[in-house]
Amino acid sequence: MKVLSVNCGSSSLKFQMYEMPEEKVLISGNFERIGIEGSFYTVKFNGEKAKKEVALENHKEAFQILIQELLDYKVVENLEEVGGIGHRVVQGGDYFDKTVVVDDEVIAKIEELSTLAPLHNPAAIIGIKAAQEVFPNATQTVVFDTAFHQTMPEENYLYALPYDFYEKYKVRRYGAHGTSHKYVALRANEILGRENTRLITCHIGNGASISAIKDGKCINTSMGLTPNAGLIMGSRCGDIDATIVTYLIDKKGFSASEIEKVMNKESGFLGISGVSSDSRDIEAGIEAGNEKCILAQRMYVKRIVDYIAKYYMELGGCDAIIFTAGVGENSMGVRLGVMNGLAAIGVKADPEANNIRGEERMVSAADSSIPCYIIPTDEEVMIARDTYALAQ
Ligand code: AMP
């Protein structure tokens, strides 16, 4: 069966088509600037990438072009071959603890949860509705970034605010990147050869989160009600004293949306270094001796170490630490800093093995108390697996 993994943003549509259950990628691509001047798309087929400029009014038009490409490249002979379409949805609240088949009630719930993910959930709904029109016979599913974290115990997902804030307004920790944490945890268990494991998974990309996973189930994660919690990120501050918000509103006369913008778009690597939100630029700055870049990286690494230490205690030990996503897979400096920062619990890096980008491998020394691995993430294949299972 052919299954399409889809990730819709407000002006973008990323896709990857699989032959399932073989998990073979048949074609992939990305539509960008949908509804904006200068729209274009890229398609990757048989290792070759093509870029085409074309006016894209809306997501439905993007899906229609996608169909034409599937036919032109002979990925399918007719649309009936596409058995399932899995849509990534950022926020599933506490309604969804697994992937589900789309129906009107599911769409209504995703819409209701838009208050918690105002940029992402409405875009996913646009994508789902467009796909339903263009692929009426395929099973449509929704795969939630939050679902994997629904197994957290309440002492980990509740904030110490008045309890009715949780009951009335659903204020609690939801986490994010769940599909990625789940994928690398499954892979880590395969590497370790067993399922009863204690894992700490570090998804560190532009957005970044860490999870504590026991026997395949998430027991804690660093992102919160929104993604701006926990780690220092490209341009997000992560954990701060919450009262800083009201203090700055008072001192600087910021509005709520202004302070939110500062914390989400102007903080993290960018805010501290003043140079960039991209870890490659920070590393170039460090090479050039830029003090602020050195400080930004030190703070960034320290926060990761703090969380790993905390989850190590919570899990009662740890069988493997996993690095994934853009920074985790590619930044030798961040990984090395984190492993060195954990020396007190016996973690030891293998600097030579760590000298690698984007490949699955063990990067800790043979006598490290905890083995540390790079496992490149693959959220798309997780979407395809769940969708295939439901479409059968
Ligand atoms: P992601 O959000 O997972 O796509 O990760 C994006 C981030 O990964 C970028 O902002 C970079 O900071 C980081 N990144 C990607 N490639 C490299 C690299 N070769 N070296 C260091 N950092 C990288």
Side-chain angles (χ1 to χ4, degrees), residues 11-15 27-34 36 38-45 48-59 61-73:
S11 64
S12 67
L13 189 166
K14 273 193 208 153
F15 68 92
I27 189 166
S28 63
N30 198 359
F31 291 85
E32 294 185 50
R33 301 182 63 87
I34 298 172
I36 305 171
S39 49
F40 66 95
Y41 67 99
T42 52
V43 187
K44 199 169 160 196
F45 179 75
E48 296 211 2
K49 205 167 168 182
K51 180 178 172 185
K52 300 179 189 178
E53 282 174 28
V54 59
L56 295 166
E57 282 289 311
N58 51 46
H59 287 70
E61 285 186 12
F63 272 117
Q64 281 162 337
I65 291 174
L66 168 56
I67 288 177
Q68 199 50 52
E69 293 289 357
L70 296 179
L71 294 168
D72 289 352
Y73 279 109

Side-chain angles (χ1 to χ4, degrees), residues 187-259:
R187 181 68 200 122
N189 283 355
E190 277 173 16
I191 294 169
L192 296 172
R194 58 186 209 275
E195 285 175 8
N196 58 327
T197 54
R198 299 157 301 177
L199 305 174
I200 299 175
T201 52
C202 311
H203 175 110
I204 35 182
N206 197 23
S209 64
I210 297 202
S211 293
I213 300 170
K214 191 164 192 309
D215 304 337
K217 292 201 164 59
C218 175
I219 61 163
N220 210 347
T221 195
S222 61
M223 281 182 168
L225 173 77
T226 73
N228 198 0
L231 301 180
I232 294 172
M233 308 180 212
S235 63
R236 294 188 192 124
C237 55
D239 292 345
I240 56 165
D241 174 350
T243 309
I244 292 171
V245 174
T246 45
Y247 179 77
L248 283 179
I249 286 174
D250 195 35
K251 279 274 165 207
K252 285 194 63 107
F254 278 139
S255 66
S257 63
E258 280 167 343
I259 185 76

Side-chain angles (χ1 to χ4, degrees), residues 203-207 269 277-280 283 325-327 330-331 357:
H203 175 110
I204 35 182
N206 197 23
F269 266 153
S277 62
D278 193 300
S279 108
R280 285 164 288 205
E283 291 191 345
V327 181
N330 293 297
S331 171
R357 295 186 201 276

Side-chain angles (χ1 to χ4, degrees), residues 170-387:
K170 306 254 179 200
V171 174
R172 53 156 286 179
R173 179 189 305 281
Y174 293 103
H177 300 139
T179 313
S180 174
H181 287 288
K182 186 176 174 185
Y183 174 82
V184 298
L186 282 171
R187 181 68 200 122
N189 283 355
E190 277 173 16
I191 294 169
L192 296 172
R194 58 186 209 275
E195 285 175 8
N196 58 327
T197 54
R198 299 157 301 177
L199 305 174
I200 299 175
T201 52
C202 311
H203 175 110
I204 35 182
N206 197 23
S209 64
I210 297 202
S211 293
I213 300 170
K214 191 164 192 309
D215 304 337
K217 292 201 164 59
C218 175
I219 61 163
N220 210 347
T221 195
S222 61
M223 281 182 168
L225 173 77
T226 73
N228 198 0
L231 301 180
I232 294 172
M233 308 180 212
S235 63
R236 294 188 192 124
C237 55
D239 292 345
I240 56 165
D241 174 350
T243 309
I244 292 171
V245 174
T246 45
Y247 179 77
L248 283 179
I249 286 174
D250 195 35
K251 279 274 165 207
K252 285 194 63 107
F254 278 139
S255 66
S257 63
E258 280 167 343
I259 185 76
E260 198 189 316
K261 183 168 164 248
V262 171
M263 294 189 303
N264 277 292
K265 300 243 169 12
E266 297 165 16
S267 299
F269 266 153
L270 175 63
I272 302 159
S273 71
V275 170
S276 170
S277 62
D278 193 300
S279 108
R280 285 164 288 205
D281 298 332
I282 300 298
E283 291 191 345
I286 293 170
E287 286 274 304
N290 180 315
E291 295 289 334
K292 291 281 175 53
C293 289
I294 294 168
L295 175 64
Q297 180 107 316
R298 276 203 348 248
M299 290 170 67
Y300 184 92
V301 165
K302 183 173 186 305
R303 184 78 58 88
I304 298 171
V305 170
D306 290 349
Y307 264 92
I308 293 177
K310 181 171 123 126
Y311 289 166
Y312 175 81
M313 293 307 291
E314 194 165 350
L315 286 163
C318 177
D319 300 306
I321 295 169
I322 313 301
F323 296 105
T324 196
V327 181
E329 292 168 27
N330 293 297
S331 171
M332 297 134 184
V334 168
R335 285 194 306 261
L336 191 64
V338 170
M339 288 187 277
N340 289 342
L342 294 165
I345 55 170
V347 173
K348 205 165 148 193
D350 177 339
E352 217 167 286
N354 185 50
N355 198 11
I356 187 93
R357 295 186 201 276
E359 252 180 48
E360 182 179 300
R361 80 150 58 156
M362 190 163 96
V363 291
S364 52
D367 60 345
S368 175
S369 59
I370 306 170
C372 304
Y373 296 91
I374 302 173
I375 300 182
T377 195
D378 193 343
E379 289 159 291
E380 289 75 20
V381 83
M382 289 300 282
I383 295 173
R385 281 180 197 170
D386 281 4
T387 304

